[in-house]
Amino acid sequence: MNKSNSLGIIIKATGGFYYVEKEGTIYECKARGVFRKDGVSPVVGDHVHIEVQKEGYASIAEICERKNYIVRPPLANIDNLIVVVSTTEPEPNPLIIDKMIAAAESRDIEPIIVFTKTDLKESCGLEEVYANAGFKTFISSEGQDFCRDELIELLKNKTTALTGNSGVGKSTFLNRFFSELNLETGDISKKLGRGRHTTRTVELFKLDQCYIADTPGFSTFDMQRYNIREKEKLQYCFREFNDYIDECRFIGCAHINEPDCGVKMAVDSGNISRSRYNSYIAMYDEIKDIKSWMK
């Protein structure tokens, strides 16, 4: 896992206890009071130093510097974010998908898109949209597991989290690819139009040469919660914009109302998908009025 033997990694946090894996052994730990004093809380994925007393009591003594951190669910040091998208029940929402991708891109986390329930309904071109934008895309539905070995290879020696709206089939996907997990799954609630929250806690599962986090689902997405607040930086959360930003006539182009905009011309020519561009506009409008003192 390319982690120092002197370090442990938090694989589960619940009820004020932290379960730390260190050199093949899992220790139940409490966090030192100094963390509360400093306003810092250990989270799953943190690399930590622990102290173990003779009587077996263990405590987290130090939290190492984080590579990245996401608030919901609370996770640190993530390499990949698998965005699970169902083609039906619930219907895919491109804006929500693009917000999740942008949150990953802003933290140097590699997004991977997995489409589920394609046996019930086709992806309606979404798979092509994200593949053309430069993302690895996969299909995982009943009888339709494509490129499984390629996906497993992407996860090796890395820590990967899953996200997606409730009911898209995250736990089902994990069970299909890693049958030893045997995670709890739930049916779609027809009345609410979304899945039941069958995943109760954040936990890292150590599988063959990788860690996988199964996380609680959600049905809303707050841009500010993920600290995407600077409108000038939003363009860099859309990787397909990069080849066209320098072709804009004006420095600091917002790619919305300006003339001779390279990004808009790429949209018109079909080199950037219209749905991705529409998501950018919606996200820009959401954060454009945030003042510097509010950040």
Side-chain angles (χ1 to χ4, degrees):
M1 300 301 301
N2 296 324
K3 295 178 174 67
S4 169
N5 287 335
S6 65
L7 295 178
I9 181 173
I10 298 176
I11 61 171
K12 186 176 181 179
T14 181
F17 288 92
Y18 300 89
Y19 297 85
V20 177
E21 183 196 354
K22 181 176 181 290
E23 299 176 345
T25 301
I26 296 177
Y27 298 86
E28 183 182 76
C29 303
K30 295 286 285 186
R32 284 185 169 180
V34 67
F35 297 124
R36 291 191 298 273
K37 181 179 178 181
D38 295 339
V40 177
S41 296
V43 300
V44 171
D46 269 332
H47 302 157
V48 296
H49 290 280
I50 65 173
E51 292 183 351
V52 181
Q53 307 299 326
K54 290 183 179 179
E55 59 270 22
Y57 172 80
S59 63
I60 296 175
E62 180 185 354
I63 302 172
C64 299
E65 183 178 357
R66 292 166 175 164
K67 169 185 174 181
N68 51 48
Y69 171 67
I70 57 177
V71 177
R72 182 182 179 187
L75 284 167
N77 302 311
I78 302 302
D79 299 299
N80 299 316
L81 181 70
I82 295 180
V83 181
V84 183
V85 180
S86 65
T87 59
T88 185
E89 295 186 312
E91 297 293 323
N93 184 324
L95 178 57
I96 294 296
I97 298 169
D98 292 333
K99 284 184 175 183
M100 291 188 284
I101 291 173
E105 295 273 45
S106 70
R107 286 160 175 74
D108 194 28
I109 301 171
E110 180 62 25
I112 299 170
I113 320 300
V114 172
F115 291 95
T116 62
K117 305 183 185 180
T118 55
D119 54 319
L120 303 177
K121 183 178 179 181
E122 295 183 354
S123 63
C124 300
L126 282 179
E127 183 185 2
E128 182 178 0
V129 165
Y130 291 102
N132 290 342
F135 301 104
K136 291 288 188 180
T137 63
F138 297 89
I139 291 176
S140 177
S141 296
E142 191 69 34
Q144 297 180 327
D145 284 326
F146 297 162
C147 304
R148 180 183 186 277
D149 291 343
E150 181 183 352
L151 177 56
I152 297 300
E153 189 65 30
L154 289 176
L155 307 187
K156 279 187 178 179
N157 302 316
K158 295 181 179 178
T159 298
T160 299
L162 276 79
T163 191
N165 279 347
S166 300
V168 296
K170 296 188 300 298
S171 295
T172 299
F173 157 72
L174 279 175
N175 285 337
R176 182 171 290 124
F177 273 64
F178 303 101
S179 58
E180 65 269 32
L181 288 176
N182 194 29
L183 297 174
E184 179 187 5
T185 60
D187 297 327
I188 292 293
S189 169
K190 299 294 185 180
K191 182 177 181 181
L192 297 177
R194 64 188 183 199
R196 297 170 184 161
H197 289 236
T198 54
T199 310
R200 302 301 181 185
T201 60
V202 181
E203 182 174 359
L204 286 182
F205 299 95
K206 188 175 183 181
L207 302 173
D208 185 21
Q209 302 183 63
C210 69
Y211 285 102
I212 299 289
D214 188 30
T215 60
F218 55 87
S219 57
T220 61
F221 196 103
D222 181 356
M223 290 287 288
Q224 295 188 45
R225 180 186 291 271
Y226 286 81
N227 291 321
I228 304 175
R229 303 183 180 189
E230 299 180 47
K231 58 182 183 294
E232 297 82 5
K233 294 183 178 180
L234 180 62
Q235 61 186 326
Y236 301 110
C237 296
F238 287 74
R239 60 176 61 180
E240 64 269 47
F241 286 16
N242 292 340
D243 290 338
Y244 306 100
I245 290 173
D246 291 339
E247 297 179 10
C248 296
R249 176 180 175 183
F250 299 105
I251 297 176
C253 180
H255 318 304
I256 296 177
N257 297 316
E258 299 86 344
D260 301 323
C261 169
V263 170
K264 290 197 299 181
M265 287 188 286
V267 174
D268 291 339
S269 65
N271 291 323
I272 294 176
S273 78
R274 180 70 61 178
S275 69
R276 287 275 290 168
Y277 178 67
N278 288 342
S279 290
Y280 167 80
I281 293 176
M283 294 161 69
Y284 187 94
D285 286 342
E286 187 175 331
I287 62 177
K288 68 180 180 181
D289 294 325
I290 298 177
K291 307 301 182 184
S292 58
W293 57 269
M294 301 170 61
K295 297 174 183 177

